[in-house]
Amino acid sequence: MLIASADRLADPSTPPGCFRCNATLELSDTELFDDLREANDRYRHHMGRIVDRAVEIGRLSEAKAADLASYVTVIVNGMVVLSRTGTTRDELHAVVDRAISQFGSA
């Protein structure tokens, strides 16, 4: 998922960033705050489901799964910001590699 995000974010044929992150950065101090928080909570929830599945199939230990959904969300959001400044695919892949090394294998 992180690699796919990096590839999409570095693809010059797609708009920079992501609608959810861009809207959160630009509109969080407006009447849309609650909607934006809900969208971000849903994203984190879906990341949690992916992490839970990785634990179920033995790809990740339960001990390493704690708070991983939030961590992955932060990495993706950070890559969104980097992509808006022209960060290359290789640079985003380096971010992914560093992030993966932080939570390692099961």
Side-chain angles (χ1 to χ4, degrees):
M1 196 280 301
L2 289 173
I3 291 169
S5 292
D7 290 344
R8 183 190 59 77
L9 290 167
D11 184 347
S13 70
T14 62
C18 110
F19 183 74
R20 177 188 55 80
C21 291
N22 291 342
T24 299
L25 291 171
E26 298 295 328
L27 303 170
S28 63
D29 61 347
T30 70
E31 66 276 359
L32 297 174
F33 177 78
D34 289 337
D35 294 325
L36 294 167
R37 181 176 46 208
E38 184 180 317
N40 283 288
D41 288 346
R42 275 194 316 270
Y43 184 84
R44 221 174 0 266
H45 171 77
H46 290 297
M47 289 303 100
R49 291 179 63 203
I50 292 169
V51 169
D52 290 345
R53 181 65 181 138
V55 171
E56 285 175 18
I57 63 173
R59 297 287 306 265
L60 184 68
S61 70
E62 206 167 318
K64 292 187 179 191
D67 299 321
L68 189 54
S70 291
Y71 179 73
V72 170
T73 300
V74 167
I75 297 302
V76 171
N77 292 351
M79 289 193 309
V80 167
V81 173
L82 289 173
S83 74
R84 293 200 55 185
T85 65
T87 301
T88 68
R89 180 183 175 279
D90 288 343
E91 291 168 322
L92 293 177
H93 275 244
V95 169
V96 170
D97 290 344
R98 172 64 70 174
I100 289 171
S101 75
Q102 297 303 305
F103 54 83
S105 62

